[in-house]
Amino acid sequence: MLSPTLLLQNLIFGVLLGSIYALAAIGLSLIFGVVNLTNFAHGDFIMLAMYISYFLGVSLKLDPILTPIIGFPVFFLLGIAVYLAIFHKIIRAPPLSQIAVTVGLLVLLRNFALAVWHAEPKSIPRTLLGYSYRLGSILIPADRLTGMLISIATFLILHLFLTKTKTGIAMRALADNLDSAALMGVNVRNLNMLTCALGIGIVALAGGILLTFQPVNPMTGLIYGLLTWSIVAMAGLGGVSGILLSGIIFGLADAFTAAFWDPRAREITIYILFILLLWFRPKGLFGRR
Amino acid sequence: MDRRLILTPLISLGVLSLVPPLLGFNNYYLLLASLILLYTTMVSAWNIIGGFAGQVDLAAGAYHGIGIFVTGLLFIFYRVTPLIGIFLGGLVAALLAVAIGYPTFRFGLREVWYALSSLALVVILYKLFLVWESVGGTIERYLPKVGFSWFYLMFPGNYLYYYLMSALLLVATIVVNIRIRYSKLGYYLLAIRENEEAAEMLGIDVRRYKLYALMIYSFIVGLTGGIFVLMLGYVHPVLFDSWISIQTAILGIVGGLGSIAGGPIIAVILLAIAEYLRVRFGGYIPGLHQILFAIILMLIVLFKPGGIGEWLDSLWHRITARRGMEVA
Amino acid sequence: MPKPILEVRGVTKRFGGLTALNRVSFNVEEGAIIGIIGPNGAGKTTLFNVITGFLKPEEGKVIYDGHTVTGLPPHRIARMGVARTFQIVKPFPELTVEEAVRVGAYLKAEDEGEVNNIVDDVLEFVGIEHLRDRYGKELNLIQLKLTEIARALATRPRLLLVDEAVAGLTPGEIDNIIEMVHRINRERNITVCLIEHIMRFIMRVSERIIVLHHGEKIFEGKPEEAYEDEAVIKAYLGERRI
Ligand SMILES: Nc1ncnc2c1ncn2[C@@H]1O[C@H](COP(=O)(O)OP(=O)(O)O)[C@@H](O)[C@H]1O
Ligand SMILES: [Mg+2]
């Protein structure tokens, strides 16, 4: 049963999947690290992004992989709106208030989706990427490969942004809680708003990619919420490369559980891994602090 | 003896016993009322871990589900009477809570991470029972049909009995709340909620006391599952429901952290409204009651963080206690 | 010579590359009031954190009442009779002053009646009965500090560690605290360790002081001798308020 081919196949599946999970988690990590905000609704933004992608796919006959072209700016603005309406009121609030308010947001988003799209899972009508490349007996699905490439490109751009631009450096300083020179003359409020816009904006990319191979229903948000928080927990506050790495670790856990145990058991492995991690490595695997 | 400990159960039992006649002993309404009381019991139990000890626990759905499965499966597989099964369900829930809570507190998980890992527990159990075909699986397992039986606590077509059981459990939970609140345990839990380091320095074994709170809470929530499954008549993994967790925490927070009266009163009112909305509008907007809960939660946390319980408590205090601290 | 109630032996505590305490040793005799001073960042609070079990030292040990307590959790050490206040107050905002003191009183009391007695006694001793029903969130700084002292006293300690009790207080309030420290020591037979970074204050309360600088003990002796000690003068050079 444990043939090398099968192992390699799932290794590849896991890496592809994981890099997409990382893309879904990076926004949460930014908002948690820079803005210092605990967002329990992140998974539901992912769910919403998948639905938006579905909507655009159906109404404009757009391929899901292309929907972020519209989705990204929309979610960027949504990030600003959510920041102004809700997040900025709780930035200095105790953790309990942040958890409570964002749980409220989670419930609202979930029920909005339920009211508009109903409970049955929705998947894309069609995608140009519904084929696979073959390397010997190994399959590489085009949708996930494209997703990984988009993810890696995004991480590269983000890395350059955070290390090379003045705004990006200020964001990192904010994440390190440094009242350093980097923050002089930088408007923290605007920086927080930009981070939320960016963090939620990137969710649109992830949503479009995820929908090419996974259906969405209103409860999807909970699953992705816990998954992305798991990734952030593993990465610690170690920057974008930590997120990419831990995304891939969870992708591998996902692929191997689905292949060798039961596809329905994916969350069991992932969340047990998450809880063990919190117990034994509370600062993450790749964290600097 | 503290007057609160006599007056509170008497008054609340009195009020609760008026409900069935007011509902005209209508079976369907009694079913809804029983459910409301069970959910309210969870809120009151949550107050011990969330309100007193300050831990944002989101595992109610897990302990409730354990109660359902233990009571249900013991009955289905071995004909164990729910009279015993319900308590075993509570015990297993408490054991699970300790097994998870011990390392959780040992390694100092707090706030976000505690909330997330407790929520993850609900999903883990749901999926675990889904793939564990010999006890769970995808099809419902029905309780045996035994007809009207006190021994098996089966009262087909008559929810009044379940209503009374739920009412008793709720009142017992409120009494437990009062007992804890005005005792060493209660003061220790409050101190832990307020400041863990200061609490440690006052000689409080923070981990141990958090575990006590978690055990009592999970035991009671386990019991609610046992009663719940008798009314429902079957077990299914989907009953490990994250909404139960979220609803319980929302109502607990809106009712006011640590408020003994606030949680239950708010819970009964909002759950009754929720049932009304579900029956009336559920066809068009299925999640209307959830939307209502979410909006009230956000408004309360943003504008009145003390919850409804703050003024309810001072009112209650004035009615039931003559003087500040009375010795129990 | 009375026997020491607290012995600190060669304690070293590092935070990454920073050595916050470097082989610090000293004894505290039962019944004494001892002052620990030193500029900001000298390691004073870290020392208290090591003694009370919040931090584990890399080297050395702490002996309280003849028992090694290094490695024990704070609540065990508290149960043995060590109490402390914090430099940055750690109040219970949603509890009343009475309730906060009550939390402390449960440690040694046998029953609720004794708890009530301890609470009444301590509130009176510290002079905050009038604040009894006020919530932590309603108190000002001096009231918070007094509540913290009352909370600590309610645990019936034998050794009280006070971390910068007077920082941020007015001269009148400082006098009040000084008088209280004396009373705690004399009337309650409690050994007191005081941290201050202002020397003037410590002169008025303790017969013996220890000076820390960059984690090292640079002086131990009578306060007036400290003024003539070269190392102490150098350490405080640049600090205006000596
Ligand atoms: N938990 C900690 N982690 C890292 N460094 C610390 C920690 N606590 C104290 N320090 C450092 O140890 C040194 C001594 O601090 P502290 O004991 O608070 O000084 P003091 O109380 O004498 O002002 C300081 O440089 C401080 O920054
Ligand atoms: Mg200090």
Side-chain angles (χ1 to χ4, degrees), chain A:
Chain A
M1 202 179 83
L2 275 178
S3 71
T5 323
L6 200 55
L7 280 179
L8 189 61
Q9 176 70 68
N10 282 294
L11 208 65
I12 291 173
F13 268 166
V15 171
L16 292 172
L17 205 55
S19 55
I20 298 165
Y21 288 166
L23 186 64
I26 186 68
L28 176 65
S29 165
L30 282 175
I31 294 172
F32 184 57
V34 177
V35 188
N36 235 318
L37 187 111
T38 300
N39 182 12
F40 266 53
H42 187 75
D44 292 81
F45 282 108
I46 299 174
M47 176 231 20
L48 192 65
M50 292 173 79
Y51 272 120
I52 298 295
S53 185
Y54 167 80
F55 169 76
L56 293 171
V58 171
S59 59
L60 302 181
K61 308 258 178 292
L62 214 55
D63 196 287
I65 204 76
L66 297 176
T67 54
I69 297 173
I70 300 174
F72 180 79
V74 169
F75 269 60
F76 190 89
L77 293 178
L78 180 65
I80 292 178
V82 171
Y83 174 80
L84 291 176
I86 299 172
F87 287 175
H88 95 98
K89 291 201 176 70
I90 51 171
I91 280 183
R92 304 224 175 285
L96 174 94
S97 310
Q98 294 194 354
I99 297 172
V101 168
T102 54
V103 163
L105 187 60
L106 171 161
V107 176
L108 287 184
L109 290 175
R110 175 192 289 184
N111 284 287
F112 172 75
L114 185 66
V116 176
W117 290 288
H118 312 295
E120 311 78 50
K122 298 268 194 272
S123 36
I124 38 148
R126 68 204 164 78
T127 172
L128 295 173
L129 301 171
Y131 58 90
S132 294
Y133 298 103
R134 242 173 214 294
L135 288 174
S137 51
I138 307 270
L139 287 178
I140 300 181
D143 48 15
R144 268 149 274 191
L145 183 65
T146 316
M148 180 170 95
L149 294 177
I150 295 177
S151 171
I152 287 174
T154 312
F155 273 90
L156 272 178
I157 295 170
L158 212 53
H159 179 74
L160 289 176
F161 170 71
L162 289 173
T163 50
K164 296 285 186 284
T165 68
K166 187 166 170 278
T167 318
I169 291 168
M171 271 187 193
R172 274 172 48 225
L174 208 55
D176 287 341
N177 283 326
L178 297 178
D179 300 317
S180 67
L183 286 181
M184 302 281 280
V186 178
N187 184 331
V188 172
R189 205 187 125 95
N190 287 346
L191 209 55
N192 282 338
M193 188 158 76
L194 179 65
T195 310
C196 288
L198 209 55
I200 306 252
I202 296 175
V203 163
L205 298 183
I209 297 169
L210 283 168
L211 194 72
T212 58
F213 60 92
Q214 285 188 356
V216 56
N217 72 65
M219 297 302 288
T220 309
L222 177 68
I223 299 299
Y224 281 117
L226 286 168
L227 171 70
T228 48
W229 271 107
S230 305
I231 293 172
V232 170
M234 182 178 278
L237 295 172
V240 296
S241 51
I243 293 286
L244 192 55
L245 269 175
S246 52
I248 288 173
I249 292 176
F250 280 105
L252 288 168
D254 186 324
F256 277 86
T257 311
F260 295 107
W261 183 7
D262 190 320
R264 293 170 306 179
R266 294 153 51 178
E267 284 86 14
I268 302 178
T269 321
I270 291 176
Y271 301 158
I272 287 181
L273 190 61
F274 170 53
I275 290 176
L276 291 178
L277 193 83
L278 290 179
W279 287 351
F280 298 109
R281 291 302 297 261
K283 291 185 179 156
L285 288 186
F286 310 113
R288 281 166 298 167
R289 281 185 292 158

Side-chain angles (χ1 to χ4, degrees), chain B:
Chain B
M1 193 63 187
D2 192 329
R3 285 178 42 184
R4 269 177 298 239
L5 279 174
I6 303 167
L7 280 181
T8 315
L10 281 182
I11 294 174
S12 38
L13 269 182
V15 172
L16 289 175
S17 64
L18 291 179
V19 173
L22 280 176
L23 295 177
F25 295 99
N26 174 311
N27 242 337
Y28 178 61
Y29 290 149
L30 280 175
L31 167 66
L32 295 186
S34 316
L35 290 178
I36 289 175
L37 293 191
L38 284 184
Y39 293 142
T40 303
T41 303
M42 291 191 231
V43 175
S44 183
W46 186 87
N47 189 49
I48 296 165
I49 184 82
F52 293 158
Q55 308 301 307
V56 194
D57 186 284
L58 292 174
Y63 304 131
H64 181 67
I66 291 286
I68 290 173
F69 266 85
V70 171
T71 311
L73 291 184
L74 283 175
F75 188 18
I76 296 168
F77 290 163
Y78 307 108
R79 291 292 158 105
V80 175
T81 159
L83 283 168
I84 296 170
I86 291 173
F87 283 95
L88 288 178
L91 275 181
V92 174
L95 279 178
L96 177 74
V98 171
I100 307 227
Y102 181 81
T104 299
F105 296 141
R106 162 76 185 71
F107 296 112
L109 289 204
R110 289 198 225 178
E111 297 157 0
V112 204
W113 304 112
Y114 181 85
L116 285 166
S117 59
S118 60
L119 186 58
L121 183 64
V122 186
V123 184
I124 291 174
L125 286 174
Y126 165 46
K127 297 284 176 168
L128 202 60
F129 276 79
L130 211 54
V131 297
W132 188 7
E133 305 273 355
S134 54
V135 297
T138 43
I139 42 168
E140 293 87 359
R141 287 170 198 272
Y142 284 89
L143 302 189
K145 299 251 176 299
V146 293
F148 185 97
S149 158
W150 275 102
F151 181 68
Y152 287 115
L153 293 179
M154 291 313 265
F155 312 107
N158 196 340
Y159 287 104
L160 181 62
Y161 297 95
Y162 298 119
Y163 175 85
L164 293 176
M165 283 164 69
S166 310
L168 277 178
L169 183 58
L170 172 59
V171 173
T173 305
I174 293 173
V175 169
V176 168
N177 264 271
I178 299 174
R179 287 284 331 189
I180 291 177
R181 172 62 183 80
Y182 299 102
S183 71
K184 176 172 170 173
L185 174 58
Y187 284 104
Y188 275 17
L189 294 179
L190 291 173
I192 290 169
R193 176 189 79 190
E194 296 292 298
N195 192 310
E196 284 193 17
E197 287 184 342
E200 272 277 339
M201 205 55 238
L202 295 177
I204 301 173
D205 188 344
V206 169
R207 288 190 329 228
R208 172 186 299 255
Y209 278 90
K210 278 185 188 171
L211 222 45
Y212 287 160
L214 184 61
M215 276 165 65
I216 299 169
Y217 151 72
S218 54
F219 178 74
I220 297 173
V221 175
L223 297 184
T224 67
I227 300 180
F228 184 86
V229 73
L230 297 180
M231 290 194 276
L232 192 68
Y234 66 86
V235 302
H236 188 279
V238 80
L239 298 170
F240 285 100
D241 184 358
S242 62
W243 172 247
I244 299 251
S245 297
I246 293 175
Q247 167 180 285
T248 306
I250 289 181
L251 294 173
I253 293 170
V254 171
L257 291 182
S259 157
I260 294 167
I265 290 177
I266 262 316
V268 167
I269 294 172
L270 286 183
L271 287 167
I273 295 175
E275 285 309 323
Y276 172 77
L277 291 177
R278 226 168 44 87
V279 173
R280 182 84 177 68
F281 300 103
Y284 327 104
I285 314 172
L288 197 56
H289 63 292
Q290 298 196 0
I291 295 174
L292 174 80
F293 283 14
I295 290 176
I296 290 179
L297 170 75
M298 293 166 86
L299 290 178
I300 287 280
V301 174
L302 289 176
F303 300 109
K304 198 174 184 318
I308 311 295
E310 225 164 45
W311 63 265
L312 265 182
D313 261 6
S314 57
L315 192 72
W316 197 240
H317 200 77
R318 254 177 280 151
I319 297 172
T320 55
R322 266 164 308 164
R323 193 169 69 77
M325 295 300 145
E326 276 176 301
V327 184

